[in-house]
Amino acid sequence: MLHPFRIFSAILIIAHPLLLKMSLQTICRLQVTREDADTLGHRVCDPDADSLATSGQNFLKQLNQCKPFTPDQLKVIQDLLSSGNTPFGPPSTWSSSTLDKLSGLLPMLPQNILQNIPEVRLKKKNQIRRGKRQVSKSVRKLRYCPPDKAVTEEVLQDKLMPIYYTPEELGACLKGQFLLDHLPLVTSHAYTDRQMFELKLNLDREFPDGYPEWVLYDLGVLLEIMSEEEIKKWNITSPETLRYLLDSQPTDDLASSIIQRYVDHGNPLNATALDAIGPRYICLLNVDQLRRINEQAIKMAKPLQVSKCSQTTVNTLYPKAKRAFSDRHNEFPAYYDLIKPYLSKHPTLVGKKEQSAVGFYITFWGERC
Ligand SMILES: *[C@@H]1O[C@H](CO)[C@@H](O)[C@H](O)[C@H]1NC(C)=O
Ligand SMILES: *[C@@H]1O[C@H](CO)[C@@H](O)[C@H](O)[C@H]1NC(C)=O
C-alpha cells in the first residue's frame, strides 16, 4: 500500500499551482521512492488551505518542520489543532511529549489555544508570580529588556521558551555575548520567522563582516532564514562544514550558494565533498563545478545518482564515470551496477543502446565478444 504521505504528495503535484512552477528535476525526484523521502517531506510544506483542511490532520507531524506558512495555511492549522480532531486530541489534553512533537508549530499558535494547554498555563502562572507582567503597549522597538523577561540559562532550557517572548522582546533580551555563548541551545528551539529575524539581527551585530566558520555549526534553525547575500560572506574551508550545512537540508537556492562558497574557497570537489553533496543536491552543480570533478573522486565517492539531473550533468559525468570504472570493465554485472547511476533516464542521451539495462547488457556483451 502507498504510504498516505506519498499519496498526499501526489495529490499536491496535481492540485497545487505552485508546484507547476517546479522544475522537472524536482518532479523527477518525487517519482523516486525511499531514498528521497526527505524531499517528499518538503512537499508537504506547500499545501493550499483546502488540501490541508481535508487531509491536514494526518500531516501535522510533518508540517512541524515547515515554515513559513501563508495566513490561510496558518488559520487551517490553528483551527485543526484547536478542534481537537487530530491524533493529538484537544489542547487541554496535550502532555509534554505532545508538545515535543508539535514544537515547530507551538510559536505559531494563538493565545486561545495556548491557554488550554495545562503545561503552558502552569508556566505562565509561575512567570506572572515572578514579576508583574508588563503589558507591552505595541512597543515597536524595545531598547531595553524588560526585567521579568531576562533570558537566563534556565529560561533557555525550556523548550516552550519562544512562546513567552514577542519578537521585539527576544531581540532585546537575547543578544551579545550571552547569545554567542548559548548559540547551540538558542538555535535548537522553534521560533516564528519574526523571532528568528530578530535573533539574526543580533548575530549580525556581533559579526558585521560575516559569520566565522564556528558560528555556521551553531546556526541550527536560523540557517533557513539566511540569504544568499549572507552566505556569500562565509568562508567554508572544509568538506566537514559543507556536510554540516547541507545535512540540515537547506533549500536548493541556499544549498547552491553554500556549495559555491565551498568551491570559491579553493576546496576540491573530491569524494568527501561529493558525499556531502549527496543525491539530494548533486543536480544543482553547475558546469564549472562539474568540470572540477575528476575520475578519482567519482571512483571513491558513493554513487552519485545523476540519472535524474539535467542532460548537461549526465553528459559531463557519464564519460568520467566510464573512465573511472574502466578497470572493472570486464566484471559482470558489477560494472553495470557501478555505471548505472550515471546513465540518463532521458531518451536521446548518451546513445540509445546504453539507455536500458537490456540495451546495456547487449552493448556490454557486444564489446566483450
Ligand atoms: C574570510 O577569509 C578572508 C580571507 O582570509 C578574510 O579576510 C575574511 O575576514 C573571512 N571572513 C569571515 C567571515 O571569516
Ligand atoms: C578532500 O579534500 C579535503 C580538503 O582539501 C580533504 O580534507 C579531504 O581529505 C579530501 N578527501 C579525499 C577523499 O581525498
Side-chain angles (χ1 to χ4, degrees):
M1 210 191 87
L2 269 174
H3 193 277
F5 195 9
R6 295 189 53 211
I7 298 175
F8 188 61
S9 303
I11 293 168
L12 286 180
I13 297 173
I14 299 160
H16 199 275
L18 205 142
L19 295 176
L20 294 178
K21 281 195 239 143
M22 281 186 343
S23 62
L24 180 66
Q25 179 194 323
T26 323
I27 299 220
C28 288
R29 282 212 211 130
L30 288 168
Q31 291 167 348
V32 300
T33 50
R34 281 186 163 274
E35 68 197 16
D36 274 346
D38 291 342
T39 317
L40 285 172
H42 275 244
R43 293 279 76 75
V44 167
C45 304
D46 290 337
D48 54 69
D50 289 343
S51 354
L52 259 180
T54 49
S55 355
Q57 63 258 42
N58 298 329
F59 300 101
L60 279 174
K61 230 175 114 182
Q62 283 86 354
L63 278 173
N64 235 339
Q65 325 284 336
C66 314
K67 263 178 277 161
F69 295 109
T70 65
D72 277 354
Q73 291 172 340
L74 202 55
K75 174 88 173 48
V76 175
I77 293 168
Q78 291 170 348
D79 288 352
L80 262 176
L81 283 174
S82 59
S83 75
N85 191 17
T86 71
F88 306 104
S92 58
T93 65
W94 292 354
S95 64
S96 80
S97 80
T98 319
L99 296 179
D100 269 341
K101 289 192 194 115
L102 291 170
S103 60
L105 295 173
L106 287 179
M108 280 154 248
L109 298 182
Q111 282 302 322
N112 62 356
I113 298 187
L114 292 173
Q115 294 298 341
N116 289 328
I117 309 172
E119 191 172 337
V120 174
R121 265 209 310 260
L122 190 74
K123 292 258 171 63
K124 281 238 142 134
K125 214 183 278 170
N126 289 343
Q127 212 185 25
I128 292 166
R129 212 178 287 143
R130 239 185 276 144
K132 239 194 157 92
R133 232 170 96 80
Q134 299 178 346
V135 187
S136 42
K137 289 176 201 147
S138 67
V139 188
R140 279 267 135 63
K141 207 74 208 157
L142 285 175
R143 236 174 307 161
Y144 303 103
C145 179
D148 63 323
K149 290 284 177 170
V151 180
T152 61
E153 212 155 303
E154 190 200 344
V155 170
L156 277 183
Q157 296 291 348
D158 184 351
K159 61 181 178 288
L160 294 175
M161 169 257 175
I163 67 180
Y164 306 130
Y165 288 83
T166 66
E168 291 76 20
E169 286 167 349
L170 206 61
C173 302
L174 190 44
K175 61 183 182 185
Q177 193 60 40
F178 184 85
L179 172 62
L180 297 187
D181 290 346
H182 297 85
L183 202 51
L185 187 54
V186 170
T187 59
S188 69
H189 296 312
Y191 300 93
T192 64
D193 283 359
R194 283 188 55 218
Q195 285 177 320
M196 288 201 280
F197 201 72
E198 292 289 336
L199 290 177
K200 178 181 177 301
L201 278 180
N202 287 349
L203 263 188
D204 293 351
R205 272 189 205 108
E206 299 299 312
F207 306 109
D209 299 327
Y211 304 157
E213 206 161 1
W214 69 264
V215 170
L216 306 185
Y217 281 83
D218 293 337
L219 282 182
V221 294
L222 294 186
L223 181 61
E224 68 188 71
I225 58 155
M226 293 297 149
S227 64
E228 288 166 48
E229 291 313 305
E230 189 71 46
I231 293 174
K232 284 193 184 130
K233 296 183 193 164
W234 299 351
N235 290 330
I236 300 179
T237 67
S238 74
E240 285 73 38
T241 312
L242 179 70
R243 169 182 295 281
Y244 187 84
L245 292 170
L246 294 181
D247 272 355
S248 57
Q249 312 205 336
T251 60
D252 284 359
D253 286 346
L254 291 190
S256 286
S257 306
I258 289 168
I259 294 168
Q260 187 57 46
R261 283 308 290 158
Y262 170 83
V263 172
D264 285 347
H265 207 265
N267 295 299
L269 284 171
N270 61 15
T272 319
L274 291 177
D275 287 345
I277 292 167
R280 182 171 168 140
Y281 297 117
I282 192 73
C283 295
L284 299 179
L285 297 189
N286 61 30
V287 177
D288 170 60
Q289 292 162 344
L290 290 169
R291 273 202 211 105
R292 293 165 185 259
I293 301 176
N294 63 27
E295 281 122 53
Q296 181 65 12
I298 290 186
K299 206 167 172 174
M300 288 174 65
K302 296 196 186 104
L304 292 181
Q305 309 292 355
V306 297
S307 307
K308 291 159 272 154
C309 302
S310 72
Q311 299 198 1
T312 314
T313 306
V314 175
N315 289 351
T316 315
L317 290 184
Y318 174 71
K320 293 187 193 207
K322 236 169 125 176
R323 285 197 296 276
F325 301 118
S326 61
D327 57 334
R328 305 191 58 182
H329 188 248
N330 285 335
E331 296 172 33
F332 178 83
Y335 177 62
Y336 174 66
D337 289 336
L338 287 169
I339 209 96
K340 194 171 143 203
Y342 302 90
L343 288 171
S344 176
K345 293 223 171 96
H346 307 284
T348 78
L349 292 184
V350 191
K352 276 212 166 81
K353 61 185 175 181
E354 282 164 330
Q355 270 170 40
S356 66
V358 174
F360 183 85
Y361 287 127
I362 291 169
T363 311
F364 180 82
W365 288 108
E367 279 176 14
R368 208 175 126 98
C369 294

